[in-house]
Every structure is written in C-alpha cells, then in structure tokens.
Amino acid sequence: MAEEKKLAVTDGPLHLSEHLYQSIPNYQLIDALPFIDPFGQEDFARVEEMIQKEIATFQPSRDYLEPLPIPECPYLDNSPFVKEAMEKIKANGGQLPKEGLSERVNPSDYSRAHLPLPSKASSVEAWEECRDRTKISIFDTEENNEYLDVATKYAVPQWIHGKLQVSAFEESLAKKRKALAKEVEDIQKRRKLDQMSHGNVLRSLHREQMEFESNNFETESAAMAMEADLRRLRQVLESKPEMKEKVPVSLMESLSEVLDGAKPTDQEGSPSTT
C-alpha cells in the first residue's frame, strides 16, 4: 500500500521543486538505459530502427507539459517562420510533416549544424569530418565578414565616385547631343533656304519657258499667215502675167525662195532688161 501511494504521488500538479521527468508515472522504476552504451554499428542501427518504429506508433496518453505555465516568447510568437511551422503542424493533424517544417531547413540535414548522423555518433572519423567542415565554415564566415567590412568601408565612396563619373559622362553626352542637334538644325535651315532659292529659280525659268512658248506660237502663227498671204500673192501674179512683168526679178526669186526653199531654175517668164 505504501508503494502504491508512493507511485501515485505524481498524479497531482507538478511542483516547481520537482523535475519534469518526475511527472512520469513509475519514473523511479527506470534506473538504466542500456541502449546508450557503446554498441557496434549493426546493433546501433537495429536499436535506431526499433526506436523509430516505437516513435511512429507512440500515442501519448497525457500531456506532460499541461501543469507547466506557457512561457512568454514574443520573438517566436511574432516570427513568420514559427507561424508557418505551426500552421503546417495543425494542417497535418498535430504531427510533424515528413517533408519538414520549411523547405529551406530540413530537420534531417545534420550537415547544416556540422554534426554527425546519429548512426555515426560514436565514429571518430565522422567527428573529424565534422570538425573539418566546421573549420571551412568558419573560414568562409571570416571571408564574408572581411568582404562586408571592405564593402562597408569602400562601397559608399566608390558608389559616390562612380555616380560622379556617370554624371560627368551624362553631361558630356548631353552637350554632344545639343551640339549635334544644333548642327542638324543648321543643316535643315540651309537645305530649306536652298530649296526656296532653287524653287524661285525654277519658277522663273518656268515662266520664261511659258513666255517663249507663247511667243513662238504667236511667231509661228504670224509666219503661217504671212506664208499664206505670199502664196495667194504669187497665185495672183501667176494668174496675171501683165502684173507679173511689173514685179522685179529679184523680188520673185526671193518669194520663190521663201515659199519653195530654192531659187527657180526656169527664167523664161522673167522680163528682159533693156
């Protein structure tokens, strides 16, 4: 009876002077954990497999943290990572998802913490490899810190220097652009003036051409009318011999030359000189 009362002591709320493991019923019966002793690799793998199977089927019958007050964690409560993890756990029925709480951090990736896998915890070579990885990580961190120090010291002055160079280059380009624009504008003005002057010359030449054509037309019309009059005059003279004899021979030759384009060869009808 005394032993039963002693075992039932932990059924009540946990006192601050007690440890958390003391809230487990019959905790005093557990006085040895043989699986933490050094085993071989095969035995350790077998034990690890048994532990994982037990964890997969384990359903706790009570909440061991229920009697403890909820601690205040403002940083974790306001962390988006923690909120995302809690939402995933809630969506998975209160269990940890197999793919982990975040795509960025895999809980089974021990290489991030530079620790050996649980199956190689007793291997000296694994710890030496982790030590080497840690040294490399520390060296990389130191290099990154040096880079950040150099960037902090020289980045702003270098940026200001580069900004001044870019501003000077932009200013020179703006001046060149302005000069080229003025040169193009001058060329356009000269071309416009040349076009206007050449247009005036062409218009004056066109007017002269029209005047020449009009004058030529009038001249040709007058020449044709005069030619018609001369042909009628010659016909009248040829029809009246007595009148033809009174006309000088040189005048008749000139008339024939104008109308026929050649001097007459027949001089029989010409009057004789006394």
Side-chain angles (χ1 to χ4, degrees), residues 16-156:
L16 296 178
S17 60
E18 297 178 349
H19 297 287
L20 182 61
Y21 72 91
Q22 294 177 350
S23 64
I24 303 175
N26 305 325
Y27 74 92
Q28 65 274 11
L29 299 179
I30 303 176
D31 58 357
L33 297 175
F35 57 84
I36 66 173
D37 295 332
F39 285 165
Q41 294 295 333
E42 296 181 358
D43 296 335
F44 194 89
R46 177 61 179 167
V47 171
E48 184 71 20
E49 183 181 359
M50 294 174 63
I51 292 174
Q52 295 298 330
K53 288 183 179 180
E54 182 66 22
I55 292 175
T57 59
F58 176 70
Q59 296 293 336
S61 59
R62 56 173 294 188
D63 187 3
Y64 299 100
L65 300 178
E66 183 178 2
L68 298 178
I70 299 177
E72 296 181 359
C73 302
Y75 178 77
L76 295 178
D77 294 339
N78 298 327
S79 174
F81 174 75
V82 175
K83 291 181 180 179
E84 179 184 358
M86 296 304 295
E87 290 177 358
K88 287 187 176 182
I89 294 174
K90 185 177 180 180
N92 198 34
Q95 301 293 331
L96 291 175
K98 295 181 179 180
E99 65 275 7
L101 297 178
S102 176
E103 297 178 356
R104 295 171 294 177
V105 179
N106 192 342
S108 62
D109 189 3
Y110 290 90
S111 62
R112 293 180 178 271
H114 303 291
L115 296 176
L117 296 174
S119 59
K120 298 182 180 180
S122 60
S123 175
V124 178
E125 291 80 3
W127 283 101
E128 289 179 350
E129 183 180 356
C130 293
R131 179 198 60 191
D132 296 337
R133 288 203 303 267
T134 304
K135 288 182 179 179
I136 295 174
S137 178
I138 293 173
F139 179 74
D140 293 339
T141 303
E142 291 178 353
E143 284 190 344
N144 292 333
N145 291 335
E146 290 180 0
Y147 174 78
L148 292 176
D149 293 339
V150 172
T152 304
K153 184 176 181 180
Y154 297 104
V156 175

Side-chain angles (χ1 to χ4, degrees), residues 180-197:
L180 289 175
K182 187 176 183 304
E183 184 178 356
V184 171
E185 185 178 1
D186 294 340
I187 293 174
Q188 295 292 345
K189 288 181 179 179
R190 288 197 300 270
R191 289 181 59 189
K192 185 65 176 178
L193 294 175
D194 293 341
Q195 289 177 358
M196 293 175 64
S197 62

